Amino acid sequence: CRCDRGAAAIAAGPAAAQACANCSAPMQQRFRDGAAGDARKAAHLLTASLLWQQEFGVGAIVDEKATATARGVAVCRSYPMALVPERDLQGRPIVIARVGCCDPSFTERADFFAGETGEIAWLRHHVAINEAAAALSPQRTVIMDLAHMSRVHCSSAALASLRKAVEIDQRHYPGCTARFFVVNAGPLLRTVWPLVESWLSAATLERVRVLGRMSEPANRAAILEDIAEADLPPFLGPRAARAEG
């Protein structure tokens, strides 16, 4: 892209130029698809994403594995979120996020991990998961579990942090999510879903399935269309279904 920002970044030093040079063909294709074939728009969006990667330190997040692991452990104590070993029926990696089990107040802590705020640590862990999943497959399946969700998870601060993660996915990982299951959704979701829905592109919304309690046969059958019973995370496995039922 030859926009002012892209040209200025490349002129400022070799790092931005090298990032552009290292852009993979699959990444270029994702942005072309996201721009509906508009090459000029795709180039602009891709350049902005490459500059964001440099500014956000995505390379360091990927390369500094010990730090990324320690950060992930710290984040998961407050917000269980991980790339799991299992795959869906198409061989895609599975990412889980247990929103209802999290303590969203951690994102407001000033020194949560190695000088990072809780929100920055969470977003960097989120990016680490995205990058790890992308290294395995161009697309992933996401399961967001809302069991035990309460009004504390719908506070303005919690929703503001969630929006930042959504924006990262929308702007910098277009087309990477093949399926997005929102499971164990209760009545409380209706109060915030219109807002969350407004953050999502039409293409993303087509991939989202909102399901109620997983003990209900119809909801369970829906997720089993994409993930084998044996590959469901333990909290959604057959024992969990029997316990909930």
Side-chain angles (χ1 to χ4, degrees):
C1 176
R2 296 300 178 184
C3 68
D4 292 344
R5 186 183 178 212
I10 291 173
Q18 187 60 45
C20 293
N22 292 339
C23 179
S24 67
M27 185 177 187
Q28 294 177 42
Q29 186 61 53
R30 288 203 312 271
F31 278 84
R32 279 195 294 270
D33 293 343
D38 185 331
R40 187 179 183 88
K41 180 179 179 181
H44 180 75
L45 294 174
L46 179 54
T47 299
S49 186
L50 291 169
L51 293 175
W52 167 81
Q53 287 189 18
Q54 183 185 13
E55 294 163 1
F56 197 71
V58 174
I61 291 172
V62 172
D63 294 338
E64 297 172 5
K65 298 189 184 303
T67 299
T69 299
R71 180 188 294 113
V73 169
V75 169
C76 285
R77 291 193 190 105
S78 297
Y79 191 129
M81 178 173 66
L83 172 67
V84 298
E86 292 76 19
R87 302 291 187 99
D88 70 10
L89 293 175
Q90 302 301 318
R92 294 179 292 241
I94 299 171
V95 174
I96 60 170
R98 304 197 67 184
V99 175
C101 295
C102 82
D103 173 11
S105 67
F106 87 95
T107 61
E108 301 178 66
R109 288 174 54 182
D111 187 1
F112 177 78
F113 173 79
E116 299 174 356
T117 66
E119 183 176 82
I120 289 296
W122 177 59
L123 292 174
R124 286 180 174 164
H125 180 52
H126 179 78
V127 167
I129 290 173
N130 282 355
E131 292 292 323
L136 297 174
S137 172
Q139 291 189 307
R140 68 198 66 123
T141 289
V142 179
I143 302 173
M144 178 176 282
D145 179 30
L146 302 188
H148 314 300
M149 181 178 173
S150 67
R151 293 196 177 278
V152 71
H153 301 106
C154 303
S155 69
S156 58
L159 290 173
S161 293
L162 177 62
R163 183 171 188 174
K164 290 179 182 178
V166 170
E167 288 176 346
I168 285 174
D169 288 350
Q170 297 276 288
R171 294 179 181 177
H172 308 300
Y173 298 91
C176 287
T177 301
R179 297 285 185 275
F180 197 114
F181 292 100
V182 180
V183 302
N184 291 315
L188 187 59
L189 180 63
R190 297 194 193 100
T191 66
V192 295
W193 182 248
L195 176 63
V196 174
E197 191 176 35
S198 71
W199 304 338
L200 305 176
S201 68
T204 299
L205 283 169
E206 289 177 357
R207 300 182 176 101
V208 175
R209 294 198 68 177
V210 179
L211 305 173
R213 292 178 60 179
M214 294 308 295
S215 59
E216 296 178 6
N219 293 328
R220 196 161 195 82
I223 201 169
L224 291 176
E225 292 176 5
D226 285 275
I227 304 173
E229 184 88 48
D231 293 324
L232 288 173
F235 62 88
L236 294 179
R239 290 185 179 179
R242 287 196 296 269
E244 187 184 351

